[in-house]
Amino acid sequence: MLASDVMTTEIRTLDPETRVRDALEDFWSGRLFEAPVTENGRIVGMLNLRHLIRQALPGYLLEEEMGDVSFAPDLEQVARRACEEGDKRVRDMMLTRFRTVRQDTALFAVATKLLKEDTKEAQHVAVVDGQGQLLGLVSEWEILRHIYQDVCGRD
Amino acid sequence: MQAPHGGGHEAAASPLFGLDPFWTATALFVLSYAVIMTERINRAVVALLGAGLLIILGILPQATAVAGIDFNTIGLLTGMMVIVAISRESGVFQYLAIKAAKWSGGRPWGILVTLSVVTALLSALLDNVTTVLLIVPVALLIADELEVNPYPILLALIMASNVGGTATLIGDPPNIMIGTQTSLTFNDFLFNLGPIIPVIFVATLVPLYLIYGRHMGASREGMQRVMAFKENEAISDASLLKRSLTVISLVVVGFVAHHQLGLQPATVAMSGAALLLLLYTAGLSPDEASERVHSVFADVEWVTIFFFVGLFMLVTAIEHVGLLDVLAGAVQEATGGDFFAASMAVMWVSAVASAVVDNIPFVATLIPMIKSMLPAFQEAGLQGAPTTAIWWSLALGACLGGNGSLIGASANLITAGFAERAGHPIRFLPFLLIAFPMMLLQVAIATVYVWYRYF
């Protein structure tokens, strides 16, 4: 099996110049957690909800030395910062580090990439051609659905 | 020039390409220090490369180089790093910081003072970098809850860590090196440096109050939020806390009694580290235990450790070729054999140098230099002062000097890194304008103390 066998091609792509607030409307209606950002069909980033939260949180909270912070009351600045992110452009808030594979990459290699490169926060692996044009997306969801629906024997 | 430590077939180095040992060692030493100061290449890499070259070129015999690595410093640092890496998992340091902040009733200036006191006390027992690593994130969170600018608090914490670290043998790298390379004990440091540190600490807070403290106000809601911190929740592992505190207490007792027990501080720290590792992994499966031990050792700052290793070999090289004796002679001549003048020169030059460059290489060079100068001073008469006066001068100058600029000590840079990531960058010049005069004030107090107490 190859990346192209399992990838989803029903993708809502975002324009980098859109306001984050507007781009997120698609997320609410489609229960999305992430969407690719493209420019002339080339993928340039991923807008990711977890990454938006990370940027709204003060950096020191995420430092390893800080440990568990459940001792503190709520920090009102966090919601305020998250609101401010809404007025920024997708280009300024998107993840620019994400995983890519080619359409003929073997499925096991795609799965390995998902588990290994965890410094890249994007949930999806982008399937691109030689020119960086976005062809589809793969995540755990696509991989296992393909395996269970098309590969495993049915009772 | 003949190497003064030459002799014996092992030490008889035969330089490659007929290089002159004295000038080659001097050139490589100066070059290494210069590159370390530029901070363009990792300092541990530079020190190890410089030392390696000296050995490969046949200037420094390998056996001499290895003998020059002070295991006491390395062992003490590594042991303490392991103990801290484990005990911080319990959340005890966050607990202390929150408790301190609440003692102040949530008022910003009060928080600045109580957090500084905790930082100073912890810095005296742990290394400064660790202390600020653990306290600064909590301080930033508190400042955010109060909605006040964290800058004055961070400034105070930097000063507190460097001042507090000056009080004990294990508090600051210069003291660790002085303590382990002379016969001075933990208690010698405590009794000789300890008394003046609270005075310097208070004298540091006064200008901070005049500059910032008077204007630090927070809303009632902000103060209530700080008072609503649940410090008990910060203790994430009560059983680990007990084990850590037990071992830390044993180690402190070991430090206080190390002289009577005939043990080096490194032995105390290393044994404490091993004991805590054992307690930390007790009852786990061999796989889990080994994973934990791995992750604890991964927390040791190996860059610092290997920097010391390289540095000790570099200093041994210039000692071996006789450069240190030449420098010591020059200092002796410049001070006219006057022990008080020499002590003061050591203190002030160390202070200013430590503000500008890393104080670790500076002190590593000065220690053997002072050792080789001492007999001559003793001959000329010490003006009624104990020989140790010059060591206390070095410790006070080098440790307090770290307050003089943002690059004066590692703790300063670590704090600046946190502040930057939190969106409150500490800039070099504004920091210098406040910190350098305050450092001069601190060293001035230290000067009066050394003069009054020892001369």
Side-chain angles (χ1 to χ4, degrees), chain B residues 406-447:
Chain B
L406 198 54
I407 54 165
S410 321
N412 310 9
L413 288 168
I414 298 279
T415 307
F418 272 119
E420 177 105 48
R421 292 195 289 281
H424 302 281
I426 301 178
R427 303 264 172 250
F428 184 81
L429 264 182
F431 182 86
L432 187 74
L433 288 178
I434 303 265
F436 198 80
M438 290 190 39
M439 181 274 282
L440 294 180
L441 170 71
Q442 294 165 345
V443 181
I445 296 172
T447 302

Side-chain angles (χ1 to χ4, degrees), chain B residues 22 315 318-319 321-329 364-366 368-369 372:
Chain B
F22 184 84
V315 173
I318 60 165
E319 191 176 10
V321 300
L323 174 62
L324 273 183
D325 287 338
V326 173
L327 291 175
T365 321
L366 266 186
M369 240 174 90
S372 79

Side-chain angles (χ1 to χ4, degrees), chain A:
Chain A
M1 277 177 293
L2 304 178
S4 55
D5 298 330
V6 300
M7 70 184 185
T8 175
T9 50
E10 295 165 25
I11 309 166
R12 297 186 218 200
T13 61
L14 301 173
D15 185 286
E17 301 305 323
T18 322
R19 278 201 318 167
V20 169
R21 188 187 298 279
D22 300 328
L24 289 178
E25 289 300 324
D26 276 354
F27 281 57
W28 312 145
S29 57
R31 274 199 84 81
L32 303 179
F33 285 86
E34 182 172 77
V37 184
T38 56
E39 228 170 1
N40 305 322
R42 289 189 69 238
I43 179 160
V44 292
M46 297 267 198
L47 190 65
N48 174 293
L49 295 188
R50 178 179 292 220
H51 186 59
L52 288 179
I53 290 193
R54 181 183 294 278
Q55 286 167 289
L57 287 176
Y60 56 81
L61 290 177
L62 301 171
E63 307 273 0
E64 198 195 333
E65 286 76 18
M66 191 65 170
D68 184 350
V69 285
S70 47
F71 54 76
D74 196 20
L75 193 58
E76 286 159 22
Q77 289 97 317
V78 174
R80 203 161 64 224
R81 283 201 219 188
C83 289
E84 286 164 9
E85 288 177 351
D87 293 323
K88 297 189 175 158
R89 291 176 312 156
V90 167
R91 184 190 297 286
D92 299 321
M93 300 304 296
M94 68 189 187
L95 279 171
T96 51
R97 283 167 59 80
F98 50 88
R99 312 170 182 86
T100 56
V101 292
R102 301 288 282 272
Q103 64 265 46
D104 58 355
T105 305
L107 191 58
F108 86 95
V110 180
T112 310
K113 234 178 162 71
L114 264 175
L115 296 184
K116 263 195 174 165
E117 295 182 19
D118 50 8
T119 55
K120 296 183 176 171
E121 208 168 357
Q123 289 164 313
H124 290 90
V125 179
V127 184
V128 296
D129 68 12
Q131 276 73 48
Q133 295 283 321
L134 180 65
L135 303 174
L137 294 175
V138 180
S139 69
E140 298 88 328
W141 200 89
E142 281 78 21
I143 294 174
L144 285 178
R145 186 188 57 165
H146 178 75
I147 291 175
Y148 274 91
Q149 293 192 340
D150 304 329
V151 181
C152 301
R154 297 190 181 193
D155 294 326

